[in-house]
């Protein structure tokens, strides 16, 4: 095979994907479309205007050239706190093409989180949307090391100014399919987020197995993801999947809301829509008073947390269409168990995506039979190589090509997988991780709080939200006024989605003999 080529043998199932010896994934994802005659086709749409595949490729080269001209070493990390906009693509692919490692970060995080990531990643460059300047600069000032360069995407001193004069041609840095390509930070219930290192090959593997294999995506699709690009879910939905087939993606920097999703779907005639269960629930509520035009949509996808069967039922009733629930993870990069357009099982995550393997493991590492619930392990070609700086976690999670997903599942006789919960205390709120420990730590900062325990609790739509149990400090009153004060305290100090939705004042918390809070006893 010539350099930078992928061979996809679809005469067999699962489809076999192989890579040329020298392989930089930016070439097939970006440059290939010019060779295949898609130069004038729209790659990206949004309120910033249309971006053609030619303009995309030229800008990727410009950004790659600007990064190459800095005093960097191949493999250096480029942290990105960038909203959903074309520059996200230019920076991400420009870095990869030039031999650097982009690390998109959750733009909802706060300075304290960024400080850790700046220190942990040892990044050389930070690029941020001007909206996040305060959090980013507070983090830079507090960090124990200073990255060589930090640029806003536009405005004074921005990378946007530098790229104007940069060349539109760039030779891809030679790499191999297994080389480190990009990272995403994944969070756990204890300890800090983990830099999850993905290889070049992981991107095409998710495209072939899930986007083409399950969704049947083609270049005629118009993709819209309510989940942002910094999630592995959004990164696939809104960037790598459409780029793989030469389709069009619609980006918006607005926070997801029913009105915004309905408007974009209608205006851009989206054919594939990707949401999370919380948003589907909010959309259903909005549909009580209005009938959005969803006629262009041929597939709705849900991931991030389990889709309650009742939401699926109500969605079908309202729209006549289905929602394809699938489970993915940052470590496996995208969806590996999924419902399919012709095979939907309400309440289930679906079947294994062809190309991946799954096993359910019980006590003593025994493989369990159908119907028995245990730890879900998965094998496949898109699993992260390792956790940065964290050999212990790597060894615990990755074993002989298999990964422990951290989820409890069972499989029924017909082969459908059913989600039973996490193996730890982590919860998903609106599809985003929330650690009970982090919220408890914030609550305990407040002088009126003696002790706090936070657990996952289902709201009226069966969607998970944090619920706080609080023992008040001496002299404080556990009343509504305090609840309101604690709510403000959490909203001010935590990422927006993490505040507790309920406050319960209690006299004691259930604990183990060693003093560990027994959250499971609070969950009912
Ligand atoms: C949970 C689900 C039940 C589950 C993701 C699609 O969510 C993604 O990645 P994260 O690393 O979280 C992974 C964990 O989230 N989960 C995700 N989807 C479902 N639980 N049903 C679901 N459908 O605990 C899993 O281990 O944030 C989702 C594509 C790419 C992704 N990274």
């Amino acid at each position: 095979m010539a350099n930078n080529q992928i061979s996809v043998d679809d005469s067999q199932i699962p489809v076999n994907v192989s890579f040329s010896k020298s392989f930089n994934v930016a070439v097939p994802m970006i440059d290939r479309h010019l060779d295949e005659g898609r130069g004038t086709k729209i790659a990206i749409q949004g309120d910033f205007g249309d971006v053609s595949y030619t303009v995309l490729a030229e800008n990727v080269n410009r950004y790659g050239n600007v990064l190459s001209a800095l005093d960097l070493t191949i493999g250096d990390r480029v942290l990105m706190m960038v909203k959903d906009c074309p520059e996200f693509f230019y920076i991400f692919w420009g870095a990869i093409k030039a031999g650097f490692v982009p690390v998109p970060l959750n733009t909802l995080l706060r300075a304290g989180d960024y400080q850790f990531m700046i220190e942990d990643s040892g990044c050389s460059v930070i690029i941020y949307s001007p909206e996040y300047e305060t959090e980013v600069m507070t983090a830079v000032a507090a960090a124990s090391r200073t990255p060589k360069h930090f640029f806003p995407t536009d405005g004074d001193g921005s990378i946007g100014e530098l790229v104007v004069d940069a060349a539109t041609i760039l030779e891809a840095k030679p790499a191999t399919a297994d080389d480190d390509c990009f990272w995403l930070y994944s969070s756990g219930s204890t300890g800090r987020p983990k830099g999850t290192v993905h290889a070049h090959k992981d991107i095409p593997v998710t495209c072939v197995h899930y986007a083409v294999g399950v969704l049947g995506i083609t270049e005629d699709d118009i993709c819209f993801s309510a989940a942002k690009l910094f999630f592995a879910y959004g990164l696939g939905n809104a960037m790598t999947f459409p780029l793989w087939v030469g389709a069009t993606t619609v980006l918006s920097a607005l926070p997801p809301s029913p009105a915004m999703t309905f408007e974009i779907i209608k205006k851009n005639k989206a054919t594939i829509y990707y949401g999370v269960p919380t948003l589907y629930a909010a959309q259903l509520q909005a549909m009580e008073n209005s009938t959005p035009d969803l006629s262009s949509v041929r597939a709705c996808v849900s991931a991030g947390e389990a889709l309650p069967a009742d939401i699926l039922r109500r969605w079908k009733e309202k729209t006549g269409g289905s929602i394809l629930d699938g489970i993915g993870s940052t470590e496996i990069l995208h969806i590996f168990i999924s419902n399919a357009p012709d095979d939907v099982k309400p309440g289930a995550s679906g079947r294994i995506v062809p190309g991946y393997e799954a096993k359910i493991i019980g006590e003593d590492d025994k493989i369990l039979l159908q119907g028995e619930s245990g730890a879900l392990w998965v094998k496949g070609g898109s699993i992260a190589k390792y956790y940065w700086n964290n050999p212990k976690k790597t060894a615990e999670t990755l074993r002989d090509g298999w990964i422990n997903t951290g989820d409890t599942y069972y499989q029924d006789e017909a082969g459908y997988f059913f989600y039973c919960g996490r193996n730890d205390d982590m919860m998903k709120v609106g599809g985003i991780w929330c650690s009970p420990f982090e919220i408890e730590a914030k609550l305990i900062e407040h002088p009126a709080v003696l002790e706090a325990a936070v657990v996952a609790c289902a709201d009226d739509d069966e969607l998970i939200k944090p619920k706080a149990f609080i023992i008040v400090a001496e002299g404080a009153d556990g009343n509504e006024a305090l609840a309101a004060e604690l709510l403000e305290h959490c909203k001010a100090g935590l990422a927006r989605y993490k505040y507790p939705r309920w406050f319960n004042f209690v006299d004691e918390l259930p604990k183990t003999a060693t003093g560990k809070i027994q959250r499971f006893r609070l969950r009912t």
Side-chain angles (χ1 to χ4, degrees):
M1 265 194 269
N3 289 344
N4 304 312
Q5 299 290 308
I6 304 174
S7 145
V8 178
D9 176 2
D10 55 10
S11 64
Q12 51 186 72
I13 291 183
V15 171
N16 185 35
V17 197
S18 51
F19 300 89
S20 56
K21 209 164 172 185
S22 174
F23 182 78
N24 184 320
V25 69
V27 177
M29 299 300 285
I30 304 290
D31 301 338
R32 174 172 54 95
H33 299 296
L34 307 190
D35 302 338
E36 292 180 358
R38 285 187 202 93
T40 57
K41 188 170 178 193
I42 298 170
I44 313 173
Q45 286 183 327
D47 56 13
F48 38 77
D50 292 346
V51 177
S52 68
Y53 272 97
T54 298
V55 171
L56 170 62
E58 286 179 359
N59 278 310
V60 165
N61 291 344
R62 280 201 176 96
Y63 278 73
N65 279 320
V66 166
L67 291 171
S68 299
L70 303 174
D71 49 344
L72 306 180
T73 307
I74 293 305
D76 275 3
R77 273 76 58 207
V78 178
L79 292 199
M80 299 172 56
M81 294 83 155
V82 178
K83 65 184 176 190
D84 278 26
C85 62
E87 286 73 19
F88 187 108
F89 282 49
Y90 309 157
I91 299 162
F92 186 87
W93 295 105
I96 291 173
K97 196 169 178 189
F100 307 116
V101 176
V103 186
L105 301 185
N106 179 340
T107 60
L108 303 170
L109 296 180
R110 295 302 177 90
D113 306 295
Y114 292 149
Q115 181 190 338
F116 167 76
M117 288 159 181
I118 290 167
E119 290 167 352
D120 178 67
S121 67
C123 61
S124 298
V125 183
I126 298 179
I127 305 177
Y128 57 91
S129 299
E131 287 87 333
Y132 313 124
E133 173 143 333
T134 309
E135 297 297 328
V136 173
M137 283 308 156
T138 308
V140 168
S144 60
R145 55 177 296 282
T146 309
K148 286 182 182 163
H149 306 277
F150 22 96
F151 303 105
T153 49
D154 36 41
D156 277 350
S158 68
I159 194 158
E161 282 182 345
L162 298 178
V163 295
V164 173
D165 296 324
T168 55
I169 297 173
L170 169 67
E171 192 72 35
K173 267 279 170 256
T176 76
D178 292 314
D179 280 350
D180 293 5
C181 179
F182 68 103
W183 308 358
L184 294 166
Y185 270 93
S186 128
S187 20
S189 63
T190 49
R192 294 298 206 152
K194 303 177 291 287
T196 306
V197 181
H198 278 287
H200 286 256
K201 70 170 175 42
D202 299 351
I203 290 175
V205 166
T206 59
C207 296
V208 170
H209 291 335
Y210 174 71
V212 176
V214 174
L215 295 180
I217 193 173
T218 73
E219 68 173 306
D220 297 329
D221 276 308
I222 299 172
C223 304
F224 173 54
S225 173
K228 300 294 180 194
L229 290 165
F230 63 73
F231 296 115
Y233 181 42
L235 195 83
N237 301 343
M239 187 167 76
T240 62
F241 296 170
L243 288 183
W244 173 248
V245 289
T248 298
T249 188
V250 190
L251 299 182
S252 168
L254 294 173
S257 69
M260 165 270 206
T261 56
F262 293 153
E263 197 180 307
I264 290 178
I265 290 170
K266 182 174 166 197
K267 184 163 166 241
N268 298 83
K269 300 195 166 47
T271 60
I272 307 183
Y273 166 67
Y274 303 86
V276 296
T278 341
L279 187 55
Y280 281 109
Q283 288 173 314
L284 279 167
Q285 194 150 53
M287 283 190 232
E288 299 283 319
N289 313 309
S290 66
T291 309
D293 179 0
L294 306 177
S295 57
S296 59
V297 178
R298 69 166 185 84
C300 290
V301 177
S302 175
E305 56 185 320
L307 179 72
D310 195 54
I311 293 188
L312 174 55
R313 185 187 61 74
R314 283 152 53 201
W315 185 264
K316 277 187 183 155
E317 216 171 81
K318 273 270 179 227
T319 71
S322 196
I323 305 175
L324 306 177
D325 186 14
I327 174 175
S329 77
T330 304
E331 286 80 354
I332 305 174
L333 192 52
H334 216 279
I335 290 173
F336 51 88
I337 289 176
S338 185
N339 287 279
D342 57 353
D343 183 15
V344 176
K345 178 83 177 170
S349 302
R351 299 176 189 276
I352 191 76
V353 170
Y356 294 96
E357 290 174 66
K359 61 184 180 185
I360 294 170
I361 301 285
E363 305 283 303
D364 312 326
D365 282 350
K366 239 183 51 206
I367 296 190
L368 297 180
L369 301 172
Q370 284 175 328
E372 297 178 324
S373 58
L376 177 70
W377 288 70
V378 171
K379 190 176 184 175
S382 61
I383 296 175
K385 292 172 69 176
Y386 61 98
Y387 291 122
W388 181 257
N389 262 343
N390 210 331
K392 187 165 162 277
K393 265 280 167 219
T394 305
E396 278 168 21
T397 314
L398 301 170
R399 255 185 249 161
D400 306 324
W402 291 86
I403 179 164
N404 183 353
T405 61
D407 296 298
T408 303
Y409 262 86
Y410 75 90
Q411 190 183 24
D412 74 2
E413 303 275 290
Y416 295 105
F417 286 86
F418 289 82
Y419 177 72
C420 310
R422 291 286 303 171
N423 312 343
D424 56 29
D425 290 314
M426 288 294 279
M427 62 186 111
K428 272 292 186 85
V429 180
I432 318 181
W433 279 125
C434 237
S435 156
F437 304 104
E438 184 188 2
I439 307 171
E440 288 162 10
K442 179 53 63 185
L443 285 165
I444 289 162
E445 280 178 8
H446 193 283
V449 176
L450 179 66
E451 279 187 66
V454 170
V455 299
C457 180
D459 68 9
D460 292 342
D461 288 318
E462 293 174 58
L463 295 167
I464 296 300
K465 303 281 182 306
K467 176 176 186 174
F469 291 85
I470 287 159
I471 304 177
V472 294
E474 223 176 277
D477 270 330
N479 55 23
E480 263 176 48
L482 179 57
E485 206 176 305
L486 293 175
L487 180 66
E488 279 321 302
H489 172 74
C490 290
K491 282 188 169 176
L494 294 169
R496 235 182 297 140
Y497 50 91
K498 293 180 179 169
Y499 64 89
R501 308 307 196 267
W502 304 271
F503 290 89
N504 283 15
F505 296 102
V506 293
D507 293 330
E508 58 181 336
L509 294 170
K511 300 228 176 97
T512 63
T514 54
K516 250 171 89 93
I517 297 172
Q518 292 173 306
R519 288 187 188 73
F520 69 92
R521 292 181 55 188
L522 292 167
R523 265 187 218 128
T524 43

PDB file of all heavy atoms in Angstrom, residues 101 164 178 189 191 201 231 340 351 374 408 413 416:
ATOM      1  N   VAL A 101       0.055  16.453  19.042  1.00  0.00           N
ATOM      2  CA  VAL A 101      -1.033  15.660  19.633  1.00  0.00           C
ATOM      3  C   VAL A 101      -2.091  16.588  20.230  1.00  0.00           C
ATOM      4  O   VAL A 101      -1.884  17.157  21.306  1.00  0.00           O
ATOM      5  CB  VAL A 101      -0.466  14.711  20.723  1.00  0.00           C
ATOM      6  CG1 VAL A 101      -1.577  13.944  21.410  1.00  0.00           C
ATOM      7  CG2 VAL A 101       0.555  13.755  20.117  1.00  0.00           C
ATOM      8  N   VAL A 164      -3.076  33.723   8.816  1.00  0.00           N
ATOM      9  CA  VAL A 164      -3.400  34.493   7.603  1.00  0.00           C
ATOM     10  C   VAL A 164      -2.256  34.410   6.601  1.00  0.00           C
ATOM     11  O   VAL A 164      -2.477  34.212   5.400  1.00  0.00           O
ATOM     12  CB  VAL A 164      -3.697  35.969   7.972  1.00  0.00           C
ATOM     13  CG1 VAL A 164      -3.873  36.812   6.726  1.00  0.00           C
ATOM     14  CG2 VAL A 164      -4.943  36.043   8.852  1.00  0.00           C
ATOM     15  N   ASP A 178      -0.363   3.045  14.645  1.00  0.00           N
ATOM     16  CA  ASP A 178      -0.386   2.823  16.096  1.00  0.00           C
ATOM     17  C   ASP A 178       0.253   3.947  16.895  1.00  0.00           C
ATOM     18  O   ASP A 178       0.292   3.886  18.130  1.00  0.00           O
ATOM     19  CB  ASP A 178       0.330   1.499  16.430  1.00  0.00           C
ATOM     20  CG  ASP A 178      -0.461   0.319  15.909  1.00  0.00           C
ATOM     21  OD1 ASP A 178      -1.685   0.295  16.119  1.00  0.00           O
ATOM     22  OD2 ASP A 178       0.143  -0.564  15.263  1.00  0.00           O
ATOM     23  N   SER A 189     -14.379   8.080  39.372  1.00  0.00           N
ATOM     24  CA  SER A 189     -15.080   8.516  40.579  1.00  0.00           C
ATOM     25  C   SER A 189     -14.091   9.010  41.621  1.00  0.00           C
ATOM     26  O   SER A 189     -14.377   9.877  42.419  1.00  0.00           O
ATOM     27  CB  SER A 189     -15.918   7.394  41.146  1.00  0.00           C
ATOM     28  OG  SER A 189     -15.098   6.330  41.529  1.00  0.00           O
ATOM     29  N   GLY A 191      -9.867  10.192  42.253  1.00  0.00           N
ATOM     30  CA  GLY A 191      -8.671  10.591  41.534  1.00  0.00           C
ATOM     31  C   GLY A 191      -8.993  11.557  40.423  1.00  0.00           C
ATOM     32  O   GLY A 191     -10.145  11.933  40.215  1.00  0.00           O
ATOM     33  N   LYS A 201      -5.094   5.004  14.078  1.00  0.00           N
ATOM     34  CA  LYS A 201      -6.033   4.041  13.510  1.00  0.00           C
ATOM     35  C   LYS A 201      -7.399   4.057  14.200  1.00  0.00           C
ATOM     36  O   LYS A 201      -8.407   3.630  13.617  1.00  0.00           O
ATOM     37  CB  LYS A 201      -5.459   2.623  13.584  1.00  0.00           C
ATOM     38  CG  LYS A 201      -5.383   2.078  15.000  1.00  0.00           C
ATOM     39  CD  LYS A 201      -5.036   0.611  14.993  1.00  0.00           C
ATOM     40  CE  LYS A 201      -4.837   0.050  16.389  1.00  0.00           C
ATOM     41  NZ  LYS A 201      -5.789   0.466  17.426  1.00  0.00           N
ATOM     42  N   PHE A 231     -16.477  16.045  23.514  1.00  0.00           N
ATOM     43  CA  PHE A 231     -16.789  14.684  23.974  1.00  0.00           C
ATOM     44  C   PHE A 231     -16.374  13.711  22.873  1.00  0.00           C
ATOM     45  O   PHE A 231     -16.567  14.032  21.696  1.00  0.00           O
ATOM     46  CB  PHE A 231     -18.296  14.460  24.105  1.00  0.00           C
ATOM     47  CG  PHE A 231     -18.988  15.289  25.118  1.00  0.00           C
ATOM     48  CD1 PHE A 231     -19.925  16.230  24.735  1.00  0.00           C
ATOM     49  CD2 PHE A 231     -18.748  15.097  26.460  1.00  0.00           C
ATOM     50  CE1 PHE A 231     -20.609  16.971  25.671  1.00  0.00           C
ATOM     51  CE2 PHE A 231     -19.425  15.839  27.398  1.00  0.00           C
ATOM     52  CZ  PHE A 231     -20.355  16.780  27.010  1.00  0.00           C
ATOM     53  N   ALA A 340     -29.863  -0.718  16.119  1.00  0.00           N
ATOM     54  CA  ALA A 340     -29.630  -0.419  14.698  1.00  0.00           C
ATOM     55  C   ALA A 340     -30.957  -0.031  14.062  1.00  0.00           C
ATOM     56  O   ALA A 340     -32.021  -0.357  14.598  1.00  0.00           O
ATOM     57  CB  ALA A 340     -29.039  -1.640  14.008  1.00  0.00           C
ATOM     58  N   ARG A 351     -27.164  -4.574  20.470  1.00  0.00           N
ATOM     59  CA  ARG A 351     -26.246  -5.703  20.283  1.00  0.00           C
ATOM     60  C   ARG A 351     -24.833  -5.191  20.076  1.00  0.00           C
ATOM     61  O   ARG A 351     -24.639  -4.030  19.755  1.00  0.00           O
ATOM     62  CB  ARG A 351     -26.608  -6.488  19.011  1.00  0.00           C
ATOM     63  CG  ARG A 351     -27.972  -7.089  19.002  1.00  0.00           C
ATOM     64  CD  ARG A 351     -28.183  -7.745  17.628  1.00  0.00           C
ATOM     65  NE  ARG A 351     -29.556  -8.167  17.453  1.00  0.00           N
ATOM     66  CZ  ARG A 351     -30.035  -9.329  17.909  1.00  0.00           C
ATOM     67  NH1 ARG A 351     -29.243 -10.176  18.541  1.00  0.00           N
ATOM     68  NH2 ARG A 351     -31.298  -9.628  17.715  1.00  0.00           N
ATOM     69  N   GLY A 374     -22.858  -8.793  35.216  1.00  0.00           N
ATOM     70  CA  GLY A 374     -21.487  -8.669  35.698  1.00  0.00           C
ATOM     71  C   GLY A 374     -20.777  -7.540  34.988  1.00  0.00           C
ATOM     72  O   GLY A 374     -21.414  -6.713  34.319  1.00  0.00           O
ATOM     73  N   THR A 408     -21.891  -2.414  34.636  1.00  0.00           N
ATOM     74  CA  THR A 408     -22.502  -3.713  34.864  1.00  0.00           C
ATOM     75  C   THR A 408     -23.590  -3.924  33.803  1.00  0.00           C
ATOM     76  O   THR A 408     -24.405  -3.022  33.563  1.00  0.00           O
ATOM     77  CB  THR A 408     -23.123  -3.780  36.275  1.00  0.00           C
ATOM     78  OG1 THR A 408     -22.091  -3.506  37.212  1.00  0.00           O
ATOM     79  CG2 THR A 408     -23.709  -5.147  36.548  1.00  0.00           C
ATOM     80  N   GLU A 413     -31.220 -13.683  26.083  1.00  0.00           N
ATOM     81  CA  GLU A 413     -31.109 -14.855  25.204  1.00  0.00           C
ATOM     82  C   GLU A 413     -30.974 -14.452  23.740  1.00  0.00           C
ATOM     83  O   GLU A 413     -30.321 -15.123  22.956  1.00  0.00           O
ATOM     84  CB  GLU A 413     -32.371 -15.719  25.351  1.00  0.00           C
ATOM     85  CG  GLU A 413     -32.642 -16.166  26.764  1.00  0.00           C
ATOM     86  CD  GLU A 413     -31.879 -17.418  27.109  1.00  0.00           C
ATOM     87  OE1 GLU A 413     -32.244 -18.472  26.561  1.00  0.00           O
ATOM     88  OE2 GLU A 413     -30.906 -17.333  27.901  1.00  0.00           O
ATOM     89  N   TYR A 416     -29.323  -9.161  23.163  1.00  0.00           N
ATOM     90  CA  TYR A 416     -29.348  -7.731  23.514  1.00  0.00           C
ATOM     91  C   TYR A 416     -28.663  -7.507  24.853  1.00  0.00           C
ATOM     92  O   TYR A 416     -28.803  -8.325  25.778  1.00  0.00           O
ATOM     93  CB  TYR A 416     -30.798  -7.222  23.608  1.00  0.00           C
ATOM     94  CG  TYR A 416     -31.517  -7.254  22.284  1.00  0.00           C
ATOM     95  CD1 TYR A 416     -32.485  -8.232  22.024  1.00  0.00           C
ATOM     96  CD2 TYR A 416     -31.238  -6.325  21.288  1.00  0.00           C
ATOM     97  CE1 TYR A 416     -33.148  -8.275  20.810  1.00  0.00           C
ATOM     98  CE2 TYR A 416     -31.896  -6.360  20.070  1.00  0.00           C
ATOM     99  CZ  TYR A 416     -32.847  -7.335  19.833  1.00  0.00           C
ATOM    100  OH  TYR A 416     -33.491  -7.376  18.631  1.00  0.00           O
TER     101      TYR A 416
END
